[in-house]
Amino acid sequence: MTSYRYAINVTPKPGILDPQGRAVEGSLGHLGIEGVSAVRVGRRVELTVDASDQVAARAVVEHLAAELLSNPLIEAFEVEQLGEASSTVSAVGTAAEA
Amino acid sequence: MTSYRYAINVTPKPGILDPQGRAVEGSLGHLGIEGVSAVRVGRRVELTVDASDQVAARAVVEHLAAELLSNPLIEAFEVEQLGEASSTVSAVGTAAEA
């Protein structure tokens, strides 16, 4: 088993109302910040998956993102693979055990 | 002025309690998902900045992230520049106007 680290970025779909984004835009004036627009607020979930290979790990992440972490009616998600420091260590461990 | 699109990823600092992450881990069993651990739930904010150049745009984003979008006691943030489709268009427009 190798450990992979992923991030799942969940964002409101285009055209879907985003009250948090509007709230951020409304606060910009108080901070004296100009030139910022089109603010969209979503979630970012980072997690570790132990799987036999990268294809299996990614399948688990896609399943989790679609079933638990996003609402497909109003949100889109994208999966991003993060640094594989722990997977390298695990891969070495596996090779040594084999 | 050129338009730049950025994402700000805000995540709980290591060691900080993350109840949303624990909730996700607690739900994995119901979905029959195994091998997922170290779940951390944060926010992802995407926004457009109009600025004279990329350095100025990034300064605005860093300021906004530190002052409004994250709590420095318990959260870390990282800034990510996204595709520059709109900046290319704006740059062309600016060149044509010049």
Side-chain angles (χ1 to χ4, degrees):
Chain A
M1 298 292 263
T2 306
S3 292
Y4 301 90
R5 187 85 180 154
Y6 286 92
I8 301 159
N9 299 320
V10 182
T11 45
K13 282 185 178 173
I16 296 291
L17 198 67
D18 176 16
Q20 289 185 92
R22 295 297 79 69
V24 170
E25 290 173 358
S27 301
L28 296 172
H30 302 294
L31 285 171
I33 294 178
E34 293 182 355
V36 173
S37 60
V39 180
R40 305 292 278 172
V41 177
R43 291 185 301 288
R44 179 176 174 93
V45 182
E46 298 182 356
L47 48 81
T48 298
V49 185
D50 292 326
S52 53
D53 57 43
Q54 191 174 326
V55 173
R58 199 174 182 98
V60 168
V61 176
E62 300 264 357
H63 178 58
L64 183 57
E67 297 295 323
L68 181 66
L69 300 177
S70 69
N71 178 342
L73 286 176
I74 59 170
E75 293 172 327
F77 69 83
E78 56 177 26
V79 173
E80 182 185 325
Q81 188 163 2
L82 302 178
E84 295 186 63
S86 63
S87 93
T88 308
V89 172
S90 297
V92 170
T94 307
E97 288 157 19
Chain B
M1 299 292 263
T2 306
S3 292
Y4 302 90
R5 187 85 180 154
Y6 286 92
I8 301 158
N9 298 320
V10 181
T11 45
K13 283 184 176 172
I16 296 291
L17 197 68
D18 176 17
Q20 289 185 92
R22 294 298 77 70
V24 170
E25 289 172 358
S27 302
L28 296 172
H30 301 293
L31 285 171
I33 295 179
E34 293 182 355
V36 173
S37 60
V39 180
R40 306 291 280 173
V41 178
R43 290 186 302 289
R44 180 177 173 93
V45 182
E46 299 182 355
L47 48 81
T48 298
V49 186
D50 292 326
S52 53
D53 58 41
Q54 192 174 326
V55 172
R58 198 173 183 99
V60 168
V61 176
E62 301 265 356
H63 178 60
L64 183 57
E67 297 295 323
L68 182 66
L69 300 177
S70 69
N71 177 342
L73 286 177
I74 58 170
E75 293 172 327
F77 69 84
E78 56 177 24
V79 173
E80 180 185 325
Q81 188 163 1
L82 302 178
E84 297 186 62
S86 63
S87 93
T88 309
V89 172
S90 298
V92 170
T94 307
E97 289 158 18

